[in-house]
Amino acid sequence: MNVVFLGPPGAGKGTQSVMVAEYFEMGYISTGNIMRSALKSGSELGNLAKSYIEKGELVPDSLVIKLIKEVLTLNPVENGYVLDGFPRTIAQAEALDNMGMVVNKVIFLDASEDTILARMSGRRVCEACGKSYHLISKPAKVDGICDKCGGTLIKRTDDNLETIVERLKEYHKKTEPLRQFYLNKKMLNFINGDGTIDDIQGKVIKAIKEGI
Ligand code: AP5
Ligand code: MG
């Protein structure tokens, strides 16, 4: 089984998709996390992606499609993948089909703009392991320190208001059309993400189980 998480930035895709991958013991791929690691390591991919991420724009399809092909080939898994943030354009969705990857469920996690802004402005991530927190809804046990690895918690460089506005524009222009794309294929499960993390997790797991 392969599951795709779609939705606006900050709706909670990362939070929910990590939990789904653990729950169903599936592989987890986040194109955003891969690109942030590449950026940190100063690799060729990181250098190519840097300016797009910092401006809040999507990284070009050709680059992301090549990246996902490599990741899928190098990391075979038994129980399928949870894809967080890929595909994000119609071209990426078509490329995934052409790779022969069957998508069984698409979880479209939406949230109001007020919720999105509050979530992104309070988000903190571990500089070392990437684990995500929120100052109010999901605080670390010790302020500023990662519970998992003891790393320092920082604000993502694209979590400032100016970049958030651009990310939302890109989302409406390039990613929102995927909602109709997957609706036409009868794969779409719409979930309102304006609730607590646990409530939403219950809805997401139910939607996935109903499809097995
Ligand atoms: P990416 O890292 O994928 O970011 P995004 O899609 O903008 O989404 P976010 O990670 O900001 O939000 P999320 O929905 O995962 O929310 P989270 O669970 O963290 O992409 C970053 C950039 O990389 C893109 O802008 C683009 O440049 C590039 N990129 C990536 N993939 C690409 C692709 N396929 N093609 C082209 N370019 C690509 O939650 C947010 C916060 O809220 C957290 O603090 C969390 O703790 C909290 N929270 C979550 N749920 C709840 C809840 N229910 N109640 C209260 N708080 C909550
Ligand atoms: Mg995320």
Side-chain angles (χ1 to χ4, degrees), residues 10 12-15 28 30 33 36 84 88 123 156:
K13 302 181 298 297
T15 305
Y28 171 74
S30 153
N33 285 357
R36 275 185 292 280
D84 168 14
R88 234 185 247 231
R123 172 168 46 200
R156 257 170 58 173

Side-chain angles (χ1 to χ4, degrees), residues 10 13-15 31 36 57 85 88 92 123 133 137 167 195:
K13 302 181 298 297
T15 305
T31 40
R36 275 185 292 280
E57 292 173 9
R88 234 185 247 231
Q92 291 180 16
R123 172 168 46 200
Y133 297 84
S137 60
R167 285 161 67 195

Side-chain angles (χ1 to χ4, degrees), residues 34-35 37-50:
I34 293 172
M35 283 189 274
S37 303
L39 215 140
K40 206 171 125 190
S41 71
S43 69
E44 193 190 343
L45 169 70
N47 292 333
L48 288 168
K50 189 175 193 291

Side-chain angles (χ1 to χ4, degrees), residues 7-16 30-33 35-36 49 52-53 56-61 64 84-89 92 119-120 122-124 132-135 137-138 156 158-159 167 193-198 200:
K13 302 181 298 297
T15 305
Q16 295 299 331
S30 153
T31 40
N33 285 357
M35 283 189 274
R36 275 185 292 280
Y52 297 98
I53 294 178
E57 292 173 9
L58 290 188
V59 174
D61 284 334
V64 188
D84 168 14
F86 184 92
R88 234 185 247 231
T89 63
Q92 291 180 16
R119 287 187 186 165
M120 284 197 275
R123 172 168 46 200
R124 296 294 182 268
S132 179
Y133 297 84
H134 190 278
L135 292 177
S137 60
K138 199 182 164 194
R156 257 170 58 173
D158 57 350
D159 274 349
R167 285 161 67 195
D194 278 306
T196 66
I197 293 175
D198 289 348
I200 297 162

Side-chain angles (χ1 to χ4, degrees), residues 2 4 65 68-69 72 83 86-106 178 180-187:
N2 296 303
V4 164
I65 290 167
I68 209 91
K69 264 188 197 158
L72 291 175
L83 297 180
F86 184 92
R88 234 185 247 231
T89 63
I90 302 276
Q92 291 180 16
E94 288 172 346
L96 196 57
D97 282 348
N98 293 337
M99 284 175 223
M101 184 169 190
V102 178
V103 176
N104 305 89
K105 281 269 164 187
V106 175
L178 281 176
Q180 192 61 44
F181 178 91
Y182 283 121
L183 194 64
N184 293 346
K185 289 178 178 271
K186 305 199 186 328
M187 289 175 186

Side-chain angles (χ1 to χ4, degrees), residues 103-124:
V103 176
N104 305 89
K105 281 269 164 187
V106 175
I107 303 293
F108 188 98
L109 197 61
D110 206 358
S112 70
E113 209 153 299
D114 283 352
T115 300
I116 285 171
L117 288 175
R119 287 187 186 165
M120 284 197 275
S121 55
R123 172 168 46 200
R124 296 294 182 268

